Amino acid sequence: IETDYLMEGFSNRPKQIYLKQMVDDIMTRHGASVDTFADAAIASRNMEFQIPQILRKQFRTDATILQNPEPFLHSRLLIQLICEHYVSLNKGKPTGAVSIDADILDIVDDATTEAKHVADANLGIAPEVQIRSADGPFVPPPIIRSWLHHAIVEVTKNAMMSTVEKWDEQPFHQKQSLPSNILIDVSRDTDFMSIRVVDNGIGLNADRSDKAFRFAASSTQKRWDRIDEQQSYAAVRQPLGSLGVGLSLSNLMMKCFGGSVSLSNNQSKSGCTATLRVNYNDDYKALN
């Protein structure tokens, strides 16, 4: 797609309609590609254990894209971002999909509200969240709002699930009336903005650490099925976990522009800290 043609289309009504339909079709098609790819990766792993040992090395070679999905996922994310960018430009947003001078605490609040709704629908309870900015108001980095929102939702959902699991394990006579709170701390240093999500949950063991960022490696026992949900509930609820793509995609979204998502066990207490880092360098280029 030629950029000049796209930009010309914004001032040409027939082209504008055509471009909108084309971009919507691309977004729909590529939006489903992550789930399809995750299904293929899961099927590939299951198949590997069903073939003779002597053939497994060749099988891994033939399924290289499933063994190393990051380049494929990176390209899909950028295609989605390009589409979102031009749709936003077409709607009159001067910076497109990129948010300049965004209210970071507002984004964090929106994301934690969504995470609480998901936890409450799936677990019957959601821990309270305390949001603080140790540095007070500061100039935020350029961000892709939808990506940052997604990443905060994912790490906060995991923190809530871990916190409720730890709370459920407490003996009845020692159990507090509510799960412990989750702390979200927003701060910055010279080159990065950091968002730390701190819980008092069960923490990370070796198996959880190994699978945390592995694409399509879910700890959920049962695959979420939208049709089952529609048959069972009046309102379709978003799952706490299903395909095992949330953290790996969140990390990739941050890495596209020089950031990261990391997990570590708390040193002085139980639980885990998830740290999102967002790059202030707006000249950073996302290269595949």
Side-chain angles (χ1 to χ4, degrees):
I1 302 173
E2 292 290 341
T3 303
D4 290 342
Y5 180 79
L6 280 169
M7 297 305 294
E8 180 188 348
F10 294 146
S11 58
N12 183 303
R13 183 60 179 169
K15 284 186 179 180
Q16 192 178 59
I17 295 172
Y18 168 73
L19 286 171
K20 182 180 183 303
Q21 181 180 351
M22 180 180 65
V23 169
D24 284 344
D25 289 345
I26 293 172
M27 291 181 70
T28 300
R29 182 177 64 180
H30 287 282
S33 64
V34 172
D35 284 2
T36 302
F37 195 73
D39 283 330
I42 293 169
S44 172
R45 290 179 194 140
N46 293 337
M47 189 183 304
E48 182 178 341
F49 293 106
Q50 297 174 12
I51 62 176
Q53 183 73 31
I54 195 172
L55 299 177
R56 290 184 184 177
K57 183 177 181 180
Q58 183 61 45
F59 177 84
R60 295 191 190 102
T61 302
D62 294 340
T64 300
I65 190 173
L66 298 175
Q67 303 292 331
N68 180 29
E70 187 164 306
F72 172 85
L73 295 171
H74 188 267
S75 66
R76 290 303 179 268
L77 280 176
L78 293 184
I79 288 171
Q80 287 284 84
L81 178 57
I82 289 170
C83 292
E84 182 182 343
H85 185 64
Y86 282 115
V87 167
S88 298
L89 287 174
N90 191 30
K91 291 179 177 178
K93 298 179 180 179
T95 58
V98 180
S99 294
I100 306 295
D101 296 330
D103 186 337
I104 299 298
L105 294 182
D106 182 63
I107 296 172
V108 173
D109 186 64
D110 284 347
T112 55
T113 298
E114 180 178 331
K116 287 178 68 174
H117 288 161
V118 174
D120 189 54
N122 287 270
L123 302 173
I125 193 169
E128 290 299 317
V129 179
Q130 177 189 356
I131 303 171
R132 74 181 185 191
S133 176
D135 299 330
F138 57 83
V139 177
I143 62 165
I144 311 300
R145 184 178 181 119
S146 58
W147 287 11
L148 183 59
H149 177 94
H150 171 91
I152 297 171
V153 170
E154 288 300 323
V155 297
T156 306
K157 284 196 308 183
N158 289 346
M160 290 181 173
M161 186 162 51
S162 176
T163 298
V164 172
E165 186 174 344
K166 178 73 176 293
W167 180 68
D168 282 338
E169 291 176 352
Q170 293 177 349
F172 181 78
H173 66 282
Q174 297 178 354
K175 196 169 188 177
Q176 298 177 340
S177 58
L178 293 172
S180 58
N181 293 350
I182 291 169
L183 171 66
I184 299 183
D185 179 75
V186 183
S187 61
R188 71 157 295 180
D189 55 29
T190 304
D191 298 318
F192 292 92
M193 176 184 72
S194 296
I195 299 175
R196 297 169 59 249
V197 180
V198 185
D199 67 63
N200 295 303
I202 58 176
L204 293 168
N205 57 27
D207 183 59
R208 287 174 183 265
S209 296
D210 180 59
K211 289 182 177 179
F213 293 102
R214 186 183 179 194
F215 181 74
S218 176
S219 58
T220 304
Q221 297 298 316
K222 181 179 182 296
R223 168 79 183 270
W224 180 71
D225 188 282
R226 186 179 297 276
I227 301 301
D228 286 347
E229 289 291 313
Q230 287 175 330
Q231 292 173 346
S232 305
Y233 297 91
V236 178
R237 64 188 182 191
Q238 180 183 351
L240 271 174
S242 180
L243 284 172
V245 301
L247 271 181
S248 56
L249 273 184
S250 298
N251 190 37
L252 188 53
M253 286 173 177
M254 298 299 103
K255 285 172 64 178
C256 277
F257 295 101
S260 63
V261 178
S262 61
L263 300 174
S264 61
N265 280 321
N266 299 329
Q267 296 297 318
S268 59
K269 60 178 182 179
S270 65
C272 174
T273 296
T275 303
L276 283 67
R277 302 182 80 220
V278 183
N279 195 350
Y280 268 89
N281 180 11
D282 58 4
D283 291 329
Y284 190 92
K285 292 182 174 62
L287 302 176
N288 194 6

